[in-house]
Amino acid sequence: MFRKKQKEFQYAPGIEKIIEDIQGGGTIARAELKGIIDELPPLVMVGKDANGLYHTVKTGRITAVADADAVTIQIAKNHVFKVGEAVTVGGALTGAADVISAIDKTNPGYDTITLAGPIGAAEIGNVLVLVTAKADAKAAKFKYVPEVITMNKVDVTVANQQSGLLVRGTVNEAVMPYPVDDAIKALLRFIRFV
């Protein structure tokens, strides 16, 4: 028998209208989150792999301007990137992509991601997105294409867990834990962001 002690915590309501969800939900893969966070909050974009598991579409908000040849990028602390993953700027995937070689978390206001090579210019407010591998400009591909949004929290300290999955409805973007940009919103065409 498995027992777990929890403290009461309520996430801010973020789903304003549910029109359609996946019956029975889906299983959220924890392998890429293990050791980074203990609990995946609700309202996270996920995409399905070939085995039917849903994976987090990792994103992070850029907090400082980066030149086209820069190999360090400042992002907000609310991200789940790890060393070895490839990233690019923006959900439109028009820039180059490269691998994260280090993440400096010592600053209390932001994290600094160091890349193996430059990925192009970035503005404040742009979104850093997880992609499959290092790529030239316009050749990057999402590691997991955003398909649906999780409806409840997921414990990633134990085996892969189930979550309700929103296909069509209205979501309050301000309370989403990880940022989205217009190109990602276009992929989630049945979700209305307010």
Side-chain angles (χ1 to χ4, degrees):
M1 182 183 209
F2 176 74
R3 292 185 184 192
K4 183 176 179 185
K5 184 177 179 181
Q6 290 184 337
K7 291 183 179 179
E8 181 65 28
F9 177 79
Q10 181 68 40
Y11 286 99
I15 298 175
E16 299 197 0
K17 181 173 257 183
I18 299 172
I19 297 172
E20 179 184 353
D21 64 345
I22 294 178
Q23 189 173 7
T27 304
I28 308 299
R30 73 178 185 133
E32 295 160 336
L33 301 170
K34 192 175 178 185
I36 300 173
I37 57 172
D38 291 337
E39 183 177 271
L40 186 68
L43 301 175
V44 173
M45 299 169 296
V46 292
K48 192 178 349 180
D49 68 11
N51 297 321
L53 284 176
Y54 288 90
H55 297 261
T56 303
V57 177
K58 296 182 178 184
T59 61
R61 178 85 54 207
I62 295 172
T63 59
V65 174
D67 295 330
D69 59 351
V71 292
T72 59
I73 296 178
Q74 283 183 16
I75 66 170
K77 287 208 163 278
N78 64 329
H79 69 87
V80 288
F81 290 118
K82 64 182 181 180
V83 173
E85 293 177 328
V87 293
T88 191
V89 176
L93 306 180
T94 55
D98 216 325
V99 177
I100 297 171
S101 58
I103 300 175
D104 180 1
K105 298 183 177 190
T106 56
N107 189 297
Y110 58 84
D111 288 350
T112 302
I113 290 183
T114 303
L115 303 166
I119 59 174
E123 299 293 323
I124 295 172
N126 285 159
V127 174
L128 204 62
V129 180
L130 177 69
V131 293
T132 54
K134 179 177 177 169
D136 295 328
K138 299 185 181 179
K141 293 181 177 19
F142 280 105
K143 185 159 185 182
Y144 305 106
V145 178
E147 295 178 30
V148 292
I149 294 179
T150 61
M151 296 171 64
N152 52 282
K153 65 183 179 178
V154 178
D155 184 354
V156 295
T157 60
V158 293
N160 295 341
Q161 300 290 306
Q162 292 286 116
S163 175
L165 299 172
L166 181 67
V167 175
R168 184 186 306 249
T170 303
V171 172
N172 183 349
E173 182 181 352
V175 297
M176 291 182 71
Y178 308 118
V180 295
D181 63 10
D182 291 339
I184 294 173
K185 288 177 188 177
L187 294 172
L188 295 164
R189 63 185 184 275
F190 297 122
I191 305 290
R192 191 174 133 229
F193 295 88
V194 293

